[in-house]
Amino acid sequence: MTTGVRRRMGVEERRQQLIGVALDLFSRRSPDDVSIDEIASAAGISRPLVYHYFPGKLSLYEAALQRASDDLAERFVEPREGPLGARLLRVMRRFFDFVDEHGPGFSALMRGGPSVGSTTTNALVDGVRQAAYLQILSHLRVERAPARLELVVRSWISLAEATALIWLDGRRIPRAELEVQLVHDFAALAAVSAASDPEMAAVLRAALSQEPSESPFADLVGRLVALAG
């Protein structure tokens, strides 16, 4: 008969374990409702040992948020190949995967963060938004956005956040429909801006030049034509 011996973790390995445990708990309940005692219990260690690796709940929350924000930013990374509409739809699917996996934590974060929030957490959220903004510009093959394009892209990112929060509150609209709707929203915002701005018109024409007849953008046009008729 052998006797099981618990392997002792190194400092960084234990820190990463605690971050993972905290992120899992924050994903299922608001960070405000998760205690250090719960994190310690889920990690299989004592409360004082948690404080050995993190000075308090705020530092652990920020470390978990850093991992989550890195993950969320990566959801917007997409190869610049193929039609823009299809690329944006894949991005929205990955974005809603994240929202689905981290619902309560995402909701608390986007609504101002937990009571332990700080300027660091706000900076991390802003960093995700900036990463998403730069990725969308990359999809449009634009290095330096004119003013109206920046307004369109940043407004669309805010719209995606708001849509996800509303969806989490009851999930009354099928997720797949919202993913397509947000791609349509991007096209609509860009089209309204392009109608009165030559720079935006040039960007939109370039983006639409490779769109096939079955793309989300073409689907929107078809729906609008049918509605007008």
Side-chain angles (χ1 to χ4, degrees):
M1 185 174 70
T2 59
T3 302
V5 178
R6 180 179 294 179
R7 183 176 64 85
R8 183 172 182 175
M9 292 186 182
V11 173
E12 186 56 27
E13 186 180 7
R14 177 66 78 183
R15 279 178 55 85
Q16 293 304 316
Q17 183 219 16
L18 287 170
I19 291 170
V21 167
L23 186 56
D24 179 62
L25 291 171
F26 295 156
S27 297
R28 290 186 273 118
R29 296 188 358 249
S30 170
D32 274 340
D33 299 330
V34 177
S35 69
I36 288 291
D37 286 333
E38 288 181 86
I39 295 170
S41 177
I45 62 175
S46 66
R47 175 189 175 98
L49 194 54
V50 175
Y51 286 111
H52 175 74
Y53 295 99
F54 293 95
K57 182 177 175 180
L58 174 58
S59 62
L60 181 52
Y61 172 75
E62 288 177 347
L65 178 58
Q66 178 70 68
R67 182 184 290 185
S69 63
D70 290 344
D71 182 6
L72 181 54
E74 288 177 2
R75 307 291 173 116
F76 286 87
V77 176
E78 175 73 22
R80 295 195 310 178
E81 301 172 358
L84 176 64
R87 280 182 269 155
L88 290 181
L89 184 56
R90 288 192 292 270
V91 167
M92 284 297 95
R93 285 171 179 162
R94 289 196 298 270
F95 172 72
F96 270 90
D97 282 344
F98 181 92
V99 172
D100 218 354
E101 294 162 10
H102 303 281
F106 177 85
S107 181
L109 175 64
M110 294 304 171
R111 288 187 167 119
S115 59
V116 296
S118 70
T119 56
T120 301
T121 63
N122 293 335
L124 287 172
V125 174
D126 288 342
V128 172
R129 290 170 176 153
Q130 181 65 11
Y133 170 73
L134 293 175
Q135 280 298 317
I136 300 305
L137 291 189
S138 175
H139 292 314
L140 294 170
R141 301 182 184 277
V142 173
E143 292 185 5
R144 190 167 184 176
R148 288 183 186 273
L149 179 58
E150 179 175 2
L151 180 61
V152 165
V153 175
R154 293 196 186 279
S155 296
W156 182 69
I157 292 169
S158 296
L159 178 61
E161 291 176 5
T163 299
L165 288 172
I166 294 170
W167 177 74
L168 282 171
D169 188 16
R171 308 187 184 215
R172 293 173 293 171
I173 301 174
R175 171 185 151 177
E177 291 182 14
L178 288 182
E179 292 166 356
V180 173
Q181 179 179 313
L182 281 165
V183 177
H184 288 173
D185 288 337
F186 181 86
L189 286 169
V192 169
S193 183
S196 58
D197 184 82
E199 284 185 297
M200 269 301 304
V203 170
L204 189 58
R205 284 194 196 98
L208 297 179
S209 64
Q210 298 182 352
E211 290 295 309
S213 58
E214 69 276 8
S215 75
F217 292 162
D219 176 58
L220 172 62
V221 172
R223 288 170 184 265
L224 291 175
V225 170
L227 183 63

